Amino acid sequence: MNPDSRKIRLIMHLRSGGVHDTRVLAAIERIPREVFAPESMRDQAYENATIPIGCHQTMSAPLVVGTMTQALQVDERTKVLEVGTGSGYQAAVLSRLCRRVYTIERYRELLEIAEQRFAELAFTNITAKVGDGTLGWREQAPFERIIVTAAATDVPPVLAEQLSIGGVMVVPVDDGAGEPRLLKVVRTEQGLDIDDMGEIRFVPLIADTGPE
Ligand code: SAH
């Protein structure tokens, strides 16, 4: 199958999986996912599958990226924080839809490769750093949107504090009781409104002072 037909097949798959936002679909169609995959995995870039990226981590499957991006409801004025840069693919998709993306990764090795890709593609509205994303990015807070791309055990409290009023956070939560759930959290004047968006699988979010 040629690359264009693979891409079309993937977009159809995303649509049937519930991703209908045309801006999100267009961003996914335009961004070369193969650029974010290791050389040896590039021919699988348009399958709806996770791809190993080293450091025991994976880039999320396109349907997960589409679902989370759609749930985040961003526009060209939005400032977003991403926790878990990984390959950089999710940040790249967001960067086409928002004003600015701040992204944090705990592995320096992964972050450096992701930054090279942002530079190659001239995606200049992404600011990335190495660190523990559960602590958020205090200097840049508050954020209108926060996306966590690794499974937390609960809604990370510091991240909720760094969300602006009316802001939205999308976070996979695995409390160990069953399947991990994708939660959509809206910060209101009174507290947090939490909506369960269904089951989802993710590598764990690890709060610490640095990679082992
Ligand atoms: N958004 C990524 C998905 C990568 S998988 C992509 O599009 O490729 C999740 C990433 O979260 C991994 O790279 C992992 O190292 C990172 N991660 C886990 N816990 C973290 C933490 N506390 N702070 C920052 N990054 C973290």
Side-chain angles (χ1 to χ4, degrees), residues 49-87:
T50 58
I51 294 182
I53 54 173
C55 304
H56 308 290
Q57 304 303 321
T58 53
M59 66 197 276
S60 314
L63 181 57
V64 168
V65 172
T67 304
M68 291 180 80
T69 308
Q70 176 170 272
L72 214 53
Q73 298 168 295
V74 295
D75 65 34
E76 60 288 348
R77 293 180 303 275
T78 323
K79 177 168 103 172
V80 183
L81 173 67
E82 180 194 29
V83 173
T85 316
S87 67

Side-chain angles (χ1 to χ4, degrees), residues 57-59 82 84-87 90 105-107 132-133 149 206:
Q57 304 303 321
T58 53
M59 66 197 276
E82 180 194 29
T85 316
S87 67
Q90 171 74 73
E105 168 58 51
R106 60 191 288 269
Y107 286 102
D132 178 0
T149 67
I206 301 169

